[in-house]
Amino acid sequence: MRPMRASRVGLALIAVGLVPLACWTVWSLTRTWRPVDMPVSLSQGSHFTTGEFTSNLDVKYAIAIDSENKIPFDDLECLLGSRSTCPSPSIVRVRWSLYSDGTVLQGTSDDTVGHGSSGPSGAASRTIGFFKARKGRRYKLDGDVLADGQPSCGNETPPENQCF
């Protein structure tokens, strides 16, 4: 009789530990952590727009450009402007406007030099702005690329496009 009671108590304690974890997981899966995920061109003069999106959170979002690691990682971080300790300026120059309920928030990537991160696979990300979202509000983001997404060597012809 005693082993049966100990088993029940043990199972009850495990359930008490797992129920909050399960509730938090379900809640987290219903949150909009990344309301927009779309490809953009970094060619000078290109324009992008997200269309309307909403947030189900009152949270500060980062407007970021993610990049795959197709060149050496340190070079990628410098080109994106993810680090502020690089020998050359970032090639990412974007002006953005966020529209919501008749108001406009504007900014440029120049305001956030050095704001970036890297992922486990070596991918890099460059934050070009931030905004505080309100739950249930509709938003639309427009962006204009101000500079070409190519490395620059001044008047020189880059050897195998290796100019940083």
Side-chain angles (χ1 to χ4, degrees):
M1 198 68 127
R2 225 160 223 252
M4 190 84 134
R5 186 172 185 205
S7 296
R8 287 183 187 162
V9 169
L11 287 175
L13 289 174
I14 290 172
V16 166
L18 291 179
V19 167
L21 176 63
C23 290
W24 182 86
T25 301
V26 169
W27 176 85
S28 179
L29 291 174
T30 62
R31 302 300 97 189
T32 306
W33 301 110
R34 184 179 271 201
V36 177
D37 189 356
M38 60 182 260
V40 296
S41 169
L42 292 180
S43 298
Q44 183 175 4
S46 64
H47 176 81
F48 60 88
T49 186
T50 61
E52 259 191 15
F53 62 93
T54 60
S55 173
N56 60 0
L57 296 167
D58 288 328
V59 69
K60 184 177 182 180
Y61 283 111
I63 304 167
I65 296 174
D66 297 332
S67 178
E68 295 176 5
N69 188 3
K70 304 234 182 214
I71 62 173
F73 184 69
D74 288 340
D75 296 338
L76 178 61
E77 281 192 318
C78 284
L79 288 173
L80 288 176
S82 299
R83 291 188 320 197
S84 56
T85 58
C86 293
S88 61
S90 167
I91 62 167
V92 175
R93 295 207 55 236
V94 178
R95 179 179 50 233
W96 55 267
S97 300
L98 182 77
Y99 303 92
S100 179
D101 294 337
T103 63
V104 180
L105 177 65
Q106 295 181 319
T108 71
S109 56
D110 295 342
D111 301 333
T112 58
V113 172
H115 285 79
S117 62
S118 57
S121 64
S125 177
R126 165 69 191 280
T127 300
I128 62 170
F130 297 96
F131 72 97
K132 176 74 173 157
R134 298 286 177 220
K135 186 176 180 178
R137 189 177 264 185
R138 296 176 194 264
Y139 297 93
K140 181 180 137 190
L141 178 70
D142 284 340
D144 293 301
V145 179
L146 305 175
D148 194 17
Q150 296 291 324
S152 172
C153 295
N155 295 331
E156 303 171 21
T157 302
E160 298 178 31
N161 207 19
Q162 295 297 312
C163 220
F164 305 109

